[in-house]
Amino acid sequence: MPINPLASYLFARYLFASYLFRKTPVVAVLSTLSTGVLAVDNFSYQSAPAFNPVMMARAEPTQVNGQLAAMDNGQALIDTEQNRQVGEWALRQINGNAALIKDPWLQQSLEQIVWQINAVAGLNAPMGLVIINDKQINAFAVPSGLIGINVGLLDKAKSLDEIVSVVAHEIAHVSQRHYQRRNDEKTKQLLMQAGGLLAGVAASKIGDGDAAAAVMLGSQAISANAAASYSRGQEREADRIGMQIMNQAGYDVNAMPSFFATLDQQNPVKSNTLIPSFILSHPLTADRISEARARVATYKRDSQANMASNRYQSIQQQRAQLFEQIQWRARYYGYLVNKADLEQGAKTSKGAKLALINYYLDNGQPKAAQSLIQDFDEDINTLANPLAVVTFSQLAAQQGNVDVAIAKLQQLASVYPERTDVPRYLSDIYLKYRPTAESGQKVLALLQPLSKQNPRDVMVWDRLQQASQLLAKHRSGDEQLIHRINTLRYRAYGELWRNELKDAVTSLTQAKSLAKQLPSNQSLLALLNQQISQVQDANQFKPS
């Protein structure tokens, strides 16, 4: 089925086609990422970050005991490589075409939760998490470890446990290899649905501007998404395994049937919603909801004594605070609330109050922000609330107290060295408020380790590019030339992961021209040629 040219410009957030693609011949093998200029070593892939003990509430975890399909070691290696290639291809499409929320704190908070669920399921370290600015309730997980969450899920959930219930269900589909256990006819249908999924995102982008086109593309997407549905047996298995994962990770399994009820009320088939959503590819039935409720009864509930303990109450309070902050920040960056909504929410929710402060900062109203941040003085002084500390630091910088902002973020980084959002916020303050050569060096020192930890992070590459530009501005001679080359190399990595492949080749070609002006440039030229080959391989790879 040919893909509509308009639809091909956009990529769907629901990448069920990738479950099929891993079985098909691979056109190109992507080389391992590496960099090498000026203290940028070869990339290393690290395991998931350490998890906050708040995420682990139960003393006796339940073993996840789903039966996995048998596979020999050779086939497993092939599958792993193919999954990685498809996952990287999908990530490039999403970064280049989907509306994403790129807030470091929101990214860090959701990654910490999702990475834990992924680890409990016994899967490899995830490739990445994308937060899609779409108000439909949805999430996806694909075999490569690419995980996506719609802002609509964060908006409609009533607790952190409900968010986890959807993520655990999606990860259970991957852990049980449901993408491998489809018959040939279903596989053919999956191949055809890719165009419909592209059309679904196109329909959401078109909106009222072209209602007829939106209806046409949306209808195509709905029928295709329905064709890609998991079987009822697979859905039940994902519910069962997902609930085990939730329990082992210390979350309330009651949240799964509770959120099923919310999904049933949001059923797009009932409301004639055009865009495909979780329910279309994960069909809900009355039996399935009843089974989930009955399954909850088989789990041992916490004793009254345990629930009354200080530790239990502390964990629940911290989770409730985290959920409020995630939900309101997602609503703000997803344009789901306005100033009046934030002001109303701030009367009862500290998460809404922090989002309102963010609104004031974004709109150049530091005095209004200052009047609210005082409510968080204790959390800021004790570093107990990272988001409050980040917000305070951004306000301090905007008010001209840059040293105070930097010092507070450095304190936060020393207490939470595993957090990846703090170096990003520090870098932003250096680049915006202290654009000096010294600041450029500090940004490189902060972010180069993150580029090794996650070489697919566009936000990191963009900031490294800015830092190198800053250094090039304040240097001369060969040193300036090297920083100009690094600027182009970092820009090319960002372009690669945004799927701007022609632009990436252009940037690297320009870098090569500059490198030829340097003495003893053979190793540098080899690195640039390697990076060009990586981009060319990405351009050649087609999951078909």
Side-chain angles (χ1 to χ4, degrees), residues 6 60 106 122 144 169 230 237 298 352 389 425 471 503 539:
L6 171 62
E60 298 297 332
L106 194 58
S144 61
H169 177 98
Y230 289 104
E237 185 174 39
T298 67
V389 176
Y425 288 119
L471 284 165
D503 292 339
N539 188 52

Side-chain angles (χ1 to χ4, degrees), residues 101 103 105-106 110 131-133 149-155 163 323-337 351 355:
I101 293 177
D103 173 60
W105 181 87
L106 194 58
L110 290 173
I131 307 169
I132 302 176
N133 192 4
I149 296 177
N150 275 19
V151 71
L153 169 59
L154 306 177
D155 176 44
I163 295 173
F323 171 70
E324 267 195 0
Q325 293 177 354
I326 287 174
Q327 187 169 64
W328 280 101
R329 199 164 178 89
R331 286 171 173 171
Y332 174 69
Y333 280 112
Y335 303 103
L336 299 179
V337 291

Side-chain angles (χ1 to χ4, degrees), residues 328 331 335-347 352-353 356:
W328 280 101
R331 286 171 173 171
Y335 303 103
L336 299 179
V337 291
N338 55 31
K339 180 183 177 183
D341 297 325
L342 293 171
E343 289 174 336
Q344 183 64 32
K347 295 177 181 179
K353 187 172 290 187
L356 180 58

Side-chain angles (χ1 to χ4, degrees), residues 447-478:
L447 297 185
Q448 282 175 346
L450 298 188
S451 73
K452 300 173 188 178
Q453 181 178 326
N454 184 3
R456 307 175 185 90
D457 191 327
V458 173
M459 289 191 285
V460 168
W461 292 123
D462 288 345
R463 288 168 171 85
L464 284 172
Q465 177 191 339
Q466 294 176 51
S468 291
Q469 282 178 315
L470 188 59
L471 284 165
K473 181 180 177 180
H474 290 87
R475 296 290 187 259
S476 60
D478 287 351

Side-chain angles (χ1 to χ4, degrees), residues 286-342:
D287 287 346
R288 185 180 160 206
I289 296 174
S290 297
E291 286 178 12
R293 287 173 175 157
R295 191 175 295 114
V296 167
T298 67
Y299 284 84
K300 182 180 179 181
R301 295 184 61 86
D302 290 302
S303 66
Q304 292 295 324
N306 183 43
M307 293 176 67
S309 69
N310 291 336
R311 179 177 180 273
Y312 182 91
Q313 294 298 323
S314 175
I315 289 172
Q316 296 308 310
Q317 289 172 6
Q318 290 180 61
R319 283 188 177 176
Q321 173 183 281
L322 179 61
F323 171 70
E324 267 195 0
Q325 293 177 354
I326 287 174
Q327 187 169 64
W328 280 101
R329 199 164 178 89
R331 286 171 173 171
Y332 174 69
Y333 280 112
Y335 303 103
L336 299 179
V337 291
N338 55 31
K339 180 183 177 183
D341 297 325
L342 293 171

Side-chain angles (χ1 to χ4, degrees), residues 202-405:
S204 69
K205 297 276 186 178
I206 290 173
D208 295 333
D210 189 341
V215 170
M216 177 187 70
L217 293 173
S219 299
Q220 179 187 7
I222 285 178
S223 61
N225 210 43
S229 298
Y230 289 104
S231 71
R232 291 186 179 183
Q234 289 172 336
E235 285 304 314
R236 288 190 174 98
E237 185 174 39
D239 292 344
R240 176 173 59 82
I241 300 300
M243 204 172 279
Q244 290 179 13
I245 293 171
M246 287 185 69
N247 186 67
Q248 183 174 345
Y251 289 93
D252 184 3
V253 294
N254 288 278
M256 184 173 285
S258 172
F259 201 62
F260 280 170
T262 299
L263 283 171
D264 193 42
Q265 293 171 1
Q266 298 286 327
N267 191 333
V269 173
K270 297 177 180 178
S271 60
N272 294 320
T273 303
L274 294 176
I275 306 169
S277 72
F278 183 89
I279 198 170
L280 284 174
S281 55
H282 301 68
L284 279 173
T285 64
D287 287 346
R288 185 180 160 206
I289 296 174
S290 297
E291 286 178 12
R293 287 173 175 157
R295 191 175 295 114
V296 167
T298 67
Y299 284 84
K300 182 180 179 181
R301 295 184 61 86
D302 290 302
S303 66
Q304 292 295 324
N306 183 43
M307 293 176 67
S309 69
N310 291 336
R311 179 177 180 273
Y312 182 91
Q313 294 298 323
S314 175
I315 289 172
Q316 296 308 310
Q317 289 172 6
Q318 290 180 61
R319 283 188 177 176
Q321 173 183 281
L322 179 61
F323 171 70
E324 267 195 0
Q325 293 177 354
I326 287 174
Q327 187 169 64
W328 280 101
R329 199 164 178 89
R331 286 171 173 171
Y332 174 69
Y333 280 112
Y335 303 103
L336 299 179
V337 291
N338 55 31
K339 180 183 177 183
D341 297 325
L342 293 171
E343 289 174 336
Q344 183 64 32
K347 295 177 181 179
T348 57
S349 167
K350 283 196 169 183
K353 187 172 290 187
L354 284 169
L356 180 58
I357 295 172
N358 209 60
Y359 168 87
Y360 287 138
L361 291 176
D362 288 344
N363 288 275
Q365 301 177 47
K367 289 184 179 180
Q370 181 65 46
S371 66
L372 297 178
I373 198 66
Q374 297 171 1
D375 294 343
F376 298 90
D377 281 350
E378 183 178 352
D379 287 343
I380 293 167
N381 291 333
T382 61
L383 305 176
N385 185 337
L387 180 57
V389 176
V390 166
T391 305
F392 166 83
S393 298
Q394 291 174 324
L395 172 59
Q398 195 172 112
Q399 292 175 322
N401 301 317
V402 180
D403 288 336
V404 172

